[in-house]
Amino acid sequence: DAMVIQNPRYQVTQFGKPVTLSCSQTLNHNVMYWYQQKSSQAPKLLFHYYDKDFNNEADTPDNFQSRRPNTSFCFLDIRSPGLGDAAMYLCATTSLRGYNEQFFGPGTRLTVL
Amino acid sequence: DAKTTQPNSMESNEEEPVHLPCNHSTISGTDYIHWYRQLPSQGPEYVIHGLTSNVNNRMASLAIAEDRKSSTLILHRATLRDAAVYYCILRDAINDMRFGAGTRLTVKP
C-alpha cells in the first residue's frame, strides 16, 4: 500500500562526506518535492521537479542537488554535509501543482557526525 | 506569499470537539485553504481543503469565514491519535506549498 517510499529511514554520515537520499512513488505523479525539516521546525521546501523540469528555491544552498531519472524516483544529494544539515528530509508528490493534495513519505532522518 | 497565523499550541480533552483557528487576512481570491497535520515521527498528511464554502470529510470539517480572512479546522471528537502539529496553508495554482509554524495539539485522556 506504500505510496511514497523513502530510503533509508535513518542515515548517518560524516562531516563533508557526500550522501544520497532516495524517494520513490507508486502514484505516477508528475511532481515531486523535497523538504527539509529541522528539529521543532516546520518543513521547508528545498526544490521540486515538475516532470523533468527542476525548480530550485532561491534560498536552497548549492550543497543540495537533486536528480530525477524517471517518474518514479527522485534523489537528494548533499555534496558536503555540515552539522547544520542534520534534519529530517521529506519527499512529497502530487499530480498537479497548486490545488491538489500532496502525499508525503515518512522521511529520512539524517545525522551528521 | 500570503501568510497564515495560528496559535502555537492548544489542548483538548479526549472525545471532545476541537476548533483550530487560522488567520489569513492577506488571502487572495485564488488561494485555497489547505490543512495538513504531522503526527510524531511521520511525514505530514493531508486533512482537508476549501475555497469559500465549508467542507466536510471523514477526518474533519473546515469552516471558512465569509470574508475568507480566517478559517477553523474542526475535529468533532478528538482522540489520542489526533495529537499532532496542524498546519494551515494557503495555496494557489502557481505557488508551491510553504508551511508556517502550525499549532501543536495535545489531547488529554
Side-chain angles (χ1 to χ4, degrees):
Chain A
D1 240 4
M3 295 186 290
V4 183
I5 303 157
Q6 292 191 244
N7 285 309
R9 294 292 309 277
Y10 300 90
Q11 176 74 57
V12 179
T13 191
Q14 292 180 332
F15 182 94
K17 184 174 181 182
V19 66
T20 295
L21 310 181
S22 75
C23 176
S24 63
Q25 52 128 341
T26 61
L27 299 162
N28 204 35
H29 285 169
N30 54 3
V31 191
M32 294 186 77
Y33 300 87
W34 280 104
Y35 292 84
Q36 178 193 63
Q37 186 173 27
K38 296 188 177 180
S39 183
S40 300
Q41 295 184 20
K44 179 179 178 301
L45 182 63
L46 293 174
F47 29 57
H48 78 269
Y49 275 94
Y50 187 88
D51 290 326
K52 294 191 174 184
D53 182 22
F54 177 72
N55 296 273
N56 204 28
E57 289 295 290
D59 58 353
T60 298
D62 291 341
N63 198 25
F64 291 86
Q65 304 285 320
S66 186
R67 296 170 284 136
R68 189 177 185 188
N70 53 52
T71 301
S72 300
F73 285 87
C74 196
F75 300 99
L76 170 62
D77 301 310
I78 308 177
R79 294 192 295 191
S80 181
L83 298 179
D85 297 326
M88 176 75 84
Y89 290 88
L90 295 160
C91 175
T93 75
T94 191
S95 57
L96 280 174
R97 287 176 70 189
Y99 302 123
N100 288 12
E101 173 185 353
Q102 284 192 11
F103 293 83
F104 283 81
T108 294
R109 183 166 296 283
L110 178 68
T111 300
V112 182
L113 300 177
Chain B
D1 290 341
K3 292 204 184 315
T4 61
T5 304
Q6 300 177 252
N8 289 335
S9 62
M10 291 185 64
E11 282 190 357
S12 172
N13 293 318
E14 197 175 11
E15 298 190 3
E16 289 186 357
V18 182
H19 290 232
L20 297 165
C22 181
N23 288 319
H24 28 78
S25 58
T26 59
I27 191 169
S28 73
T30 55
D31 283 332
Y32 276 71
I33 302 158
H34 286 244
W35 283 82
Y36 282 73
R37 72 179 185 180
Q38 188 172 21
L39 280 63
S41 302
Q42 296 188 27
E45 65 174 343
Y46 168 83
V47 178
I48 200 166
H49 78 281
L51 183 62
T52 56
S53 303
N54 294 345
V55 184
N56 300 296
N57 67 20
R58 63 174 180 83
M59 289 181 71
S61 296
L62 177 59
I64 301 172
E66 197 168 334
D67 63 5
R68 298 205 333 122
K69 292 185 176 182
S70 65
S71 60
T72 302
L73 179 71
I74 303 165
L75 307 180
H76 296 285
R77 286 181 71 234
T79 70
L80 298 178
R81 288 176 294 179
D82 291 322
V85 179
Y86 287 79
Y87 296 100
C88 169
I89 303 165
L90 301 182
R91 295 184 67 190
D92 63 21
I94 299 172
N95 293 305
D96 295 297
M97 193 159 74
R98 287 168 178 78
F99 288 79
T103 296
R104 181 173 297 278
L105 176 66
T106 302
V107 181
K108 297 183 289 186

